[in-house]
Amino acid sequence: MTSAILKVSCQDRRGIIAAVSGFISDRGGNIITLDEFVERNSNTFFMRVEWDIHNFSIEREHIAAAVDGLAAEGGFGGKWEIFFSDIKPQMAVFVSKYDHCLWDLLLRHQAGELRCDIPVIISNHEDLRPAAEFFGIPYRVVPKTAGNKSQAERREFEILESYRIDFVVMARYMQVLSEDFLSRYQNRVINIHHSFLPAFEGARPYHQAFERGVKIIGATAHFATVNLDKGPIIHQATLPISHQDTVDDLITKGRDIEKRVLSDGVKLYIAHRVFVHGNRTIIL
Amino acid sequence: MTSAILKVSCQDRRGIIAAVSGFISDRGGNIITLDEFVERNSNTFFMRVEWDIHNFSIEREHIAAAVDGLAAEGGFGGKWEIFFSDIKPQMAVFVSKYDHCLWDLLLRHQAGELRCDIPVIISNHEDLRPAAEFFGIPYRVVPKTAGNKSQAERREFEILESYRIDFVVMARYMQVLSEDFLSRYQNRVINIHHSFLPAFEGARPYHQAFERGVKIIGATAHFATVNLDKGPIIHQATLPISHQDTVDDLITKGRDIEKRVLSDGVKLYIAHRVFVHGNRTIIL
Amino acid sequence: MTSAILKVSCQDRRGIIAAVSGFISDRGGNIITLDEFVERNSNTFFMRVEWDIHNFSIEREHIAAAVDGLAAEGGFGGKWEIFFSDIKPQMAVFVSKYDHCLWDLLLRHQAGELRCDIPVIISNHEDLRPAAEFFGIPYRVVPKTAGNKSQAERREFEILESYRIDFVVMARYMQVLSEDFLSRYQNRVINIHHSFLPAFEGARPYHQAFERGVKIIGATAHFATVNLDKGPIIHQATLPISHQDTVDDLITKGRDIEKRVLSDGVKLYIAHRVFVHGNRTIIL
Amino acid sequence: MTSAILKVSCQDRRGIIAAVSGFISDRGGNIITLDEFVERNSNTFFMRVEWDIHNFSIEREHIAAAVDGLAAEGGFGGKWEIFFSDIKPQMAVFVSKYDHCLWDLLLRHQAGELRCDIPVIISNHEDLRPAAEFFGIPYRVVPKTAGNKSQAERREFEILESYRIDFVVMARYMQVLSEDFLSRYQNRVINIHHSFLPAFEGARPYHQAFERGVKIIGATAHFATVNLDKGPIIHQATLPISHQDTVDDLITKGRDIEKRVLSDGVKLYIAHRVFVHGNRTIIL
């Protein structure tokens, strides 16, 4: 079964659901799921609707134009995107030396949990090449130094473009991406931070957590923005710790939750369920 | 704001969402939330849609008839219910001697968490009268013995009818209701069982759990049916235990989860989110 | 069964467990539980040992003196406390207008979960008197204004002393206690903060959480110190939220976790399991 | 640092902790952790004590004999075991075709989380050889048919013995081990069952869970016994599901919890924290 997924966000007004669902069923589409949400403070309407296009009377290449007409008419002009279930998003993974998030993504991908392609892995170090090779994924090393950042990013852009990458996952990648990079891939760079943000922003959050004597640790998947660790949060989780846990124990326990939170965040993104609204996300 | 809530369950077919959402918006209604689900094995469609009726062009007392017409026309004939947000469900609580679930319900009700009325509490014992009186709720004692069951239930029916009760919550009520009772209130009697069903059906589940040496305990809110502890499950949760916990510890810890699971189940029911489908529930 | 509970914290050295357990068994005591922990950074030893004193050859009133001798000899001089299981700690509850934490404490106390006495409830408002009266607990109102703080606290001290209060629980008490108050009751005032500290210190944490767009909320039981929301953390927990939750929803959901975290923290304190070590706690 | 770990289980009597801790400290040992528990129904005492043997006056090869003397004298005759932290348990992994638990074990082992050796992986299928080879671990295939079971097990024994295997982990191994096998490795075969036992014993637990309409799924790590799925439970956990989850979704979500529960159970076993007591476990 191939389905189309339409994401809409616009000023709320009466009749959008009826217009869209009528558009779909009138043309022979059968709605599989429809989720919507109205953010009351800003009166913004969000909808994700997925329908079976098997008997849809509009051919696939004309659906976008038809939705464009509907949008103009139906009053949700401009703010929509359409995806097809058989076109997998192209994901690039950025890594440094920590391997747990990378393995988690690759194994879930191999198990069929992540409906995307992973055409390339980019790293500033050689270390994780064996994992990439095990799965037959190209591994490209772009070293980074204090001095070569913009050059290195130019190299990264070339790689990303050559693989037609749609979005980037920083799987414990230990470099800060530039404003230029992040603006090119706005809301398309997913990072994992190893604390329950906004607690323990910045470096060495497990050390900070230990110092503060908290009884929980956590992880946060968020879109990377120029304001480090302050981007829209996609997913978070925590787990209990105790006084018995050293910083090393926190790092070990944290790996478990980092990788799960990151993979869960990636799954939501791939399923076209994540809407960014100011500094928050709506997950439909 | 007053809203109407329409629950539909029927054989799946194309166009139901469009028909219903069109019906609503064409008549000036603004959809607040729409949730749907198709159960693939039986190809059954479930929908819960809630809309603001402030500017709805059909008067409240005629909405049901209009939906009836729509259902006939739209092909979801018969299997629908309509509710209005300003008409609170009338809930009767059945209790025996354990008070924790009762207190939890009453305190949440007082805090505005449970959007229902609690016109009466029925018990087979005097013990919990003070709690009822604290909140000014009539407390009716209907003693039960091996011999007087059908008489006692007749008395209970009179009470339930006199208060126009919509549904019954067994808040650790230690009597089995008859087939007659349960058929009159089919899918309208919510019970809490103190285990993660189907484990530890029957009596003394914490003792059973201790004997088996499990590392978790749990609670299950379900609709009561004649097959004891086998009714459709509404909500479940668990919590970790250890070898250090005695049966008494399990009972103590269990109270916490029993009351939460029951109140959460009741909230879902009151919000008209629970659909029964065979022996399972769909929660929209 | 009556037991003695000895808490020891001192510089770590070899032989402390042997000295203490030998002291107990040589005099006919049977150890019920023994928990210890060595904090490696500071090389500090912590132990909590509880023993049945039924056949203990030292009379109860002389046990402290005997432990004193043992401590001098055994090298854990001075840093120890002894408690007896049949002498219940005297807990005062401070409240304002929010009632959920108060009800939770009172109902758990009534159910036998909290092994302490609650001889008095102190409030700056009249509102929660009915709950206190339901359980027959004196309710004393000490109003607070910007101008009368030190006078009011003097009044509170009189009340606390007249009831021989051992420790204070701030059950969503909406006033800041003075440095003077907190130094008199150092590490004996337990507060509940409605966030997963150190995130969202200060006022209106649920509003802060909503603004930041987090996907979890939490609560923190900690000892109150002059550095507001920065005292040693006793217990924390979190629960998942979503974009659908308004600030009011967060407040509602938060009540559930606030009361549980506070009651769990109080239970640990009452069981003499909490050691303060710098700004952290050790829970044995 | 090298430490000795002594596990004791015996009839409870006064003075065991004192005798053991005195034995240790008198000979220059420094206790790192001491955990004990008394099971009240059977009056059984359990203790795990770990001490630094750096300055211990008894040489390593004579410690067992010394403990033997102490046990005879101290009244815990016979029921003890001693381990040294620098002698890693030898773990064999049995697998079939599901790879998630195997990967989890191998990656945690590589990350240093599992303090054991994995000298061999045994399977009835070729499928998972690449994973074994990636980590350089011998992979031995012992096919099993209805007819060759005892022969195949004889082959497995030879392999296990040739690698001096201490314990076996069934990482979703799809064959039932014989009574003979299990009696040779009593309480040394850890299995993962993909339900929260005792619910859904036997085959296809996720299908059973779906049919019953539960709102949680779980996993159970337990010692394998001849009574299938009824052995002593080491660890369990659950996670919430909904009506939206198909059987395939349960299988996918279940993988996450199966592998975590199994690895956590293995960690407890490797740390010599698991005591079997009848059909239950004590975890110290």
Side-chain angles (χ1 to χ4, degrees):
Chain A
M1 187 195 75
T2 303
S3 60
I5 296 152
L6 175 65
K7 289 174 70 178
V8 172
S9 62
C10 60
Q11 191 69 8
D12 189 30
R13 53 178 292 281
R14 188 158 52 79
I16 304 176
I17 296 174
V20 173
S21 58
F23 166 82
I24 293 167
S25 68
D26 289 351
R27 283 151 191 82
N30 194 21
I31 291 175
I32 299 162
T33 59
L34 183 155
D35 295 284
E36 47 66 54
F37 174 70
V38 177
E39 209 283 315
R40 295 290 166 199
N41 294 339
S42 60
N43 207 35
T44 311
F45 174 86
F46 299 90
M47 181 169 67
R48 177 193 185 278
V49 58
E50 180 169 2
W51 70 97
D52 184 350
I53 57 172
H54 182 62
N55 293 314
F56 202 54
S57 64
I58 305 178
E59 273 177 276
R60 185 188 183 113
E61 60 268 34
H62 301 132
I63 293 180
V67 170
D68 205 35
L70 173 71
E73 185 188 330
F76 54 91
K79 303 268 263 169
W80 57 269
E81 291 176 285
I82 195 148
F83 304 93
F84 295 96
S85 64
D86 55 358
I87 298 184
K88 292 186 182 172
Q90 305 297 303
M91 169 170 109
V93 184
F94 276 48
V95 291
S96 292
K97 295 187 171 184
Y98 294 118
D99 67 349
H100 54 288
C101 287
L102 178 63
W103 276 108
D104 198 65
L105 290 166
L106 296 179
L107 286 167
R108 287 181 197 275
H109 185 255
Q110 179 177 258
E113 277 183 52
L114 299 182
R115 295 185 51 76
C116 64
D117 290 325
I118 309 179
V120 67
I121 296 167
I122 294 176
S123 180
N124 53 335
H125 294 286
E126 272 295 335
D127 303 56
L128 304 187
R129 185 179 296 278
E133 287 182 346
F134 184 82
F135 295 98
I137 298 174
Y139 185 86
R140 310 293 285 273
V141 175
V142 182
K144 284 194 175 170
T145 61
N148 80 342
K149 191 157 183 175
S150 68
Q151 264 174 293
E153 288 198 347
R154 217 171 308 132
R155 180 80 195 96
E156 288 162 354
F157 287 135
E158 288 168 11
I159 298 169
L160 296 178
E161 275 161 33
S162 74
Y163 285 104
R164 297 171 172 246
I165 291 302
D166 293 308
F167 73 109
V168 169
V169 172
M170 299 170 74
R172 298 297 313 275
Y173 181 62
M174 305 304 278
Q175 295 286 326
V176 176
L177 299 177
S178 73
E179 185 164 358
D180 178 33
F181 192 115
L182 294 171
S183 67
R184 288 202 203 193
Y185 286 88
Q186 198 185 5
N187 295 336
R188 294 191 291 144
V189 178
I190 298 174
N191 186 35
I192 182 72
H193 185 77
H194 37 317
S195 81
F196 47 95
L197 290 173
F200 310 129
E201 295 180 349
R204 294 162 59 100
Y206 293 127
H207 290 77
Q208 294 182 52
F210 182 85
E211 285 308 313
R212 181 59 188 89
V214 289
K215 302 298 186 186
I216 50 171
I217 56 171
T220 304
H222 65 95
F223 288 113
T225 61
V226 288
N227 294 314
L228 219 60
D229 303 333
K230 292 193 188 300
I233 292 171
I234 302 167
H235 189 53
Q236 292 187 291
T238 59
L239 54 81
I241 59 161
S242 82
H243 64 271
Q244 297 190 316
D245 291 301
T246 62
V247 170
D248 281 347
D249 293 332
L250 301 190
I251 290 169
T252 298
K253 292 186 174 184
R255 284 197 297 257
D256 249 33
I257 197 161
E258 289 167 29
K259 66 190 187 190
R260 252 185 299 143
V261 166
L262 179 58
S263 287
D264 284 349
V266 169
K267 277 188 200 178
L268 294 170
Y269 183 85
I270 290 172
H272 309 297
R273 297 193 175 283
V274 182
F275 295 72
V276 174
H277 180 57
N279 200 39
R280 315 175 72 221
T281 62
I282 312 298
I283 313 284
L284 294 185
Chain B
M1 187 196 72
T2 303
S3 60
I5 296 151
L6 175 65
K7 289 174 70 178
V8 172
S9 62
C10 60
Q11 191 69 8
D12 189 30
R13 52 177 294 280
R14 186 159 51 79
I16 304 176
I17 296 175
V20 173
S21 59
F23 166 82
I24 293 167
S25 68
D26 289 352
R27 284 152 190 81
N30 194 23
I31 291 175
I32 299 162
T33 60
L34 183 154
D35 296 283
E36 46 67 52
F37 174 69
V38 178
E39 207 283 314
R40 294 289 165 199
N41 294 337
S42 60
N43 208 33
T44 311
F45 174 85
F46 298 89
M47 181 169 68
R48 178 193 185 278
V49 57
E50 181 169 1
W51 71 96
D52 183 351
I53 58 171
H54 182 61
N55 292 313
F56 203 53
S57 65
I58 304 178
E59 273 177 277
R60 185 187 184 115
E61 61 269 32
H62 300 132
I63 293 179
V67 170
D68 205 34
L70 172 71
E73 186 188 331
F76 55 90
K79 304 269 263 166
W80 56 269
E81 292 177 284
I82 196 148
F83 304 93
F84 295 96
S85 64
D86 56 356
I87 298 186
K88 292 186 183 170
Q90 305 297 302
M91 170 170 108
V93 185
F94 276 47
V95 293
S96 291
K97 295 187 170 183
Y98 295 118
D99 67 349
H100 54 287
C101 288
L102 179 63
W103 275 108
D104 197 65
L105 290 165
L106 296 179
L107 285 166
R108 286 182 198 275
H109 185 255
Q110 180 179 259
E113 277 183 50
L114 300 182
R115 295 184 52 75
C116 65
D117 290 326
I118 308 178
V120 68
I121 296 166
I122 294 176
S123 181
N124 53 334
H125 295 286
E126 271 294 336
D127 303 56
L128 305 187
R129 185 180 296 279
E133 287 183 344
F134 185 83
F135 295 97
I137 298 174
Y139 185 85
R140 310 293 285 272
V141 175
V142 182
K144 283 193 177 171
T145 62
N148 80 341
K149 192 157 180 175
S150 69
Q151 265 174 291
E153 288 198 346
R154 217 170 310 131
R155 180 80 195 97
E156 287 162 357
F157 288 136
E158 288 169 12
I159 297 168
L160 295 178
E161 274 161 33
S162 75
Y163 285 105
R164 300 174 169 239
I165 292 302
D166 294 307
F167 73 110
V168 169
V169 173
M170 298 170 74
R172 297 298 311 276
Y173 181 62
M174 305 303 278
Q175 296 286 326
V176 175
L177 299 177
S178 73
E179 186 165 357
D180 179 35
F181 193 114
L182 294 171
S183 67
R184 287 203 204 193
Y185 286 88
Q186 199 186 1
N187 295 335
R188 293 193 290 145
V189 178
I190 298 174
N191 186 36
I192 181 74
H193 185 77
H194 37 316
S195 81
F196 47 95
L197 288 173
F200 311 129
E201 294 180 349
R204 294 163 58 99
Y206 293 128
H207 291 77
Q208 293 182 53
F210 182 84
E211 285 308 314
R212 180 59 188 91
V214 291
K215 302 297 187 187
I216 49 171
I217 55 171
T220 304
H222 64 96
F223 288 113
T225 62
V226 289
N227 294 314
L228 219 61
D229 303 333
K230 293 194 188 298
I233 293 171
I234 302 167
H235 188 53
Q236 293 187 289
T238 60
L239 55 81
I241 58 162
S242 83
H243 64 271
Q244 297 190 317
D245 291 301
T246 62
V247 171
D248 281 348
D249 293 333
L250 301 190
I251 290 169
T252 298
K253 292 186 175 184
R255 283 197 298 258
D256 247 35
I257 197 161
E258 289 166 32
K259 66 190 187 190
R260 252 186 296 142
V261 166
L262 179 58
S263 287
D264 284 349
V266 168
K267 277 188 201 178
L268 293 171
Y269 182 86
I270 290 172
H272 309 296
R273 297 193 175 282
V274 182
F275 295 71
V276 174
H277 179 57
N279 201 39
R280 316 175 71 222
T281 62
I282 312 297
I283 313 285
L284 296 185
Chain C
M1 187 196 73
T2 303
S3 60
I5 296 151
L6 176 65
K7 288 173 71 177
V8 172
S9 62
C10 60
Q11 191 70 9
D12 189 28
R13 53 177 293 281
R14 187 159 51 78
I16 304 176
I17 296 174
V20 173
S21 59
F23 166 82
I24 293 167
S25 68
D26 290 351
R27 282 153 191 81
N30 194 22
I31 291 175
I32 298 162
T33 61
L34 184 155
D35 295 284
E36 46 66 53
F37 174 70
V38 178
E39 207 284 314
R40 295 288 166 199
N41 294 339
S42 60
N43 208 33
T44 310
F45 174 86
F46 298 89
M47 182 169 67
R48 178 191 184 280
V49 57
E50 180 169 1
W51 71 96
D52 184 350
I53 58 171
H54 181 63
N55 292 313
F56 202 53
S57 65
I58 304 178
E59 273 177 276
R60 186 190 184 111
E61 61 267 34
H62 301 132
I63 293 179
V67 170
D68 205 36
L70 173 72
E73 187 187 329
F76 55 90
K79 303 269 262 167
W80 57 270
E81 291 177 286
I82 195 147
F83 304 94
F84 295 96
S85 64
D86 57 356
I87 298 186
K88 292 186 183 171
Q90 305 297 302
M91 169 171 108
V93 185
F94 276 48
V95 291
S96 292
K97 295 186 171 184
Y98 294 118
D99 67 350
H100 54 288
C101 288
L102 178 64
W103 275 108
D104 198 65
L105 290 165
L106 296 178
L107 285 167
R108 287 181 197 274
H109 185 255
Q110 180 178 258
E113 277 184 51
L114 299 182
R115 294 186 53 75
C116 64
D117 290 326
I118 309 178
V120 66
I121 296 166
I122 295 176
S123 180
N124 54 333
H125 294 287
E126 271 295 334
D127 303 55
L128 304 188
R129 185 180 295 279
E133 286 181 346
F134 184 82
F135 295 97
I137 298 174
Y139 185 86
R140 311 293 285 273
V141 175
V142 182
K144 285 192 176 172
T145 61
N148 81 342
K149 191 157 182 177
S150 69
Q151 263 173 294
E153 287 198 348
R154 216 171 309 133
R155 182 77 195 99
E156 288 163 354
F157 287 136
E158 288 169 11
I159 297 168
L160 296 178
E161 274 161 33
S162 75
Y163 284 104
R164 297 171 171 246
I165 291 303
D166 293 308
F167 73 109
V168 169
V169 172
M170 299 170 74
R172 297 297 314 275
Y173 181 63
M174 305 304 278
Q175 295 286 327
V176 175
L177 298 177
S178 74
E179 185 165 358
D180 179 34
F181 192 115
L182 294 171
S183 66
R184 287 202 203 194
Y185 285 88
Q186 197 185 6
N187 296 335
R188 293 191 291 145
V189 178
I190 298 174
N191 186 34
I192 182 74
H193 184 77
H194 38 316
S195 82
F196 47 95
L197 289 172
F200 311 129
E201 295 180 350
R204 295 163 57 102
Y206 293 127
H207 291 77
Q208 293 183 53
F210 182 84
E211 284 307 314
R212 180 60 188 89
V214 290
K215 301 298 187 187
I216 50 170
I217 56 171
T220 304
H222 65 96
F223 289 113
T225 61
V226 288
N227 294 314
L228 219 59
D229 303 333
K230 292 193 188 300
I233 292 170
I234 302 167
H235 189 54
Q236 292 186 291
T238 59
L239 55 80
I241 58 161
S242 82
H243 64 270
Q244 297 190 317
D245 292 301
T246 62
V247 170
D248 281 348
D249 293 331
L250 300 190
I251 291 169
T252 297
K253 292 186 173 183
R255 283 198 297 258
D256 248 33
I257 198 161
E258 289 167 30
K259 66 190 187 191
R260 253 186 298 143
V261 165
L262 179 58
S263 287
D264 284 348
V266 168
K267 277 189 201 178
L268 293 171
Y269 182 86
I270 289 171
H272 308 297
R273 297 192 176 284
V274 183
F275 296 72
V276 174
H277 179 58
N279 200 39
R280 315 176 71 223
T281 62
I282 312 296
I283 313 285
L284 296 185
Chain D
M1 186 195 74
T2 304
S3 60
I5 296 151
L6 176 64
K7 289 174 70 178
V8 173
S9 62
C10 60
Q11 192 68 8
D12 189 30
R13 53 176 295 280
R14 187 160 51 79
I16 303 175
I17 296 174
V20 174
S21 59
F23 166 82
I24 292 167
S25 68
D26 290 351
R27 284 151 190 81
N30 194 21
I31 291 175
I32 299 161
T33 60
L34 185 155
D35 295 284
E36 46 67 53
F37 174 69
V38 178
E39 207 283 316
R40 295 289 166 200
N41 294 337
S42 60
N43 207 34
T44 310
F45 174 86
F46 298 90
M47 182 170 66
R48 178 192 185 279
V49 57
E50 181 170 1
W51 71 97
D52 184 350
I53 57 171
H54 181 62
N55 293 313
F56 201 53
S57 64
I58 304 177
E59 272 176 276
R60 186 187 183 113
E61 61 268 34
H62 300 132
I63 293 179
V67 170
D68 205 35
L70 172 71
E73 186 186 329
F76 56 89
K79 303 269 263 168
W80 57 270
E81 291 178 284
I82 195 147
F83 304 93
F84 294 97
S85 64
D86 56 358
I87 298 185
K88 291 186 183 172
Q90 304 298 302
M91 170 170 108
V93 184
F94 277 48
V95 292
S96 292
K97 295 186 171 184
Y98 294 118
D99 66 350
H100 54 288
C101 287
L102 178 64
W103 275 108
D104 198 65
L105 290 166
L106 296 178
L107 285 167
R108 287 182 197 274
H109 185 256
Q110 179 178 260
E113 277 183 50
L114 299 182
R115 295 185 51 77
C116 65
D117 290 327
I118 309 178
V120 67
I121 296 166
I122 294 176
S123 181
N124 53 334
H125 294 287
E126 271 295 335
D127 303 55
L128 304 188
R129 186 181 295 279
E133 286 182 345
F134 184 83
F135 295 98
I137 298 174
Y139 185 85
R140 310 293 284 271
V141 174
V142 183
K144 284 194 177 172
T145 62
N148 79 343
K149 190 158 181 176
S150 69
Q151 264 174 292
E153 288 199 346
R154 216 170 311 132
R155 181 79 196 99
E156 288 163 355
F157 287 136
E158 288 168 12
I159 297 168
L160 296 178
E161 274 161 33
S162 75
Y163 285 105
R164 300 174 170 238
I165 291 303
D166 293 307
F167 73 110
V168 169
V169 172
M170 299 170 73
R172 297 298 311 276
Y173 182 62
M174 305 304 277
Q175 295 287 326
V176 175
L177 299 176
S178 73
E179 185 165 357
D180 179 35
F181 192 114
L182 294 171
S183 66
R184 287 203 203 193
Y185 286 88
Q186 198 186 3
N187 295 335
R188 293 192 289 146
V189 179
I190 298 174
N191 187 34
I192 182 73
H193 185 78
H194 38 315
S195 81
F196 48 94
L197 290 173
F200 310 128
E201 294 181 349
R204 293 162 58 99
Y206 294 127
H207 291 77
Q208 293 182 52
F210 182 84
E211 285 308 314
R212 180 60 188 90
V214 290
K215 301 298 186 187
I216 49 172
I217 56 171
T220 304
H222 64 96
F223 288 112
T225 62
V226 289
N227 294 313
L228 219 61
D229 303 335
K230 292 193 187 301
I233 292 171
I234 302 167
H235 188 53
Q236 293 186 291
T238 60
L239 54 81
I241 57 162
S242 84
H243 64 270
Q244 297 190 316
D245 291 301
T246 62
V247 171
D248 282 346
D249 293 332
L250 301 190
I251 290 169
T252 297
K253 292 186 174 182
R255 283 198 297 258
D256 247 34
I257 197 161
E258 289 166 31
K259 66 190 187 190
R260 252 186 297 141
V261 165
L262 179 58
S263 288
D264 285 349
V266 169
K267 277 189 201 178
L268 293 171
Y269 183 85
I270 289 172
H272 309 296
R273 297 193 175 282
V274 182
F275 295 72
V276 174
H277 180 57
N279 201 39
R280 315 175 71 220
T281 62
I282 312 297
I283 312 284
L284 295 185

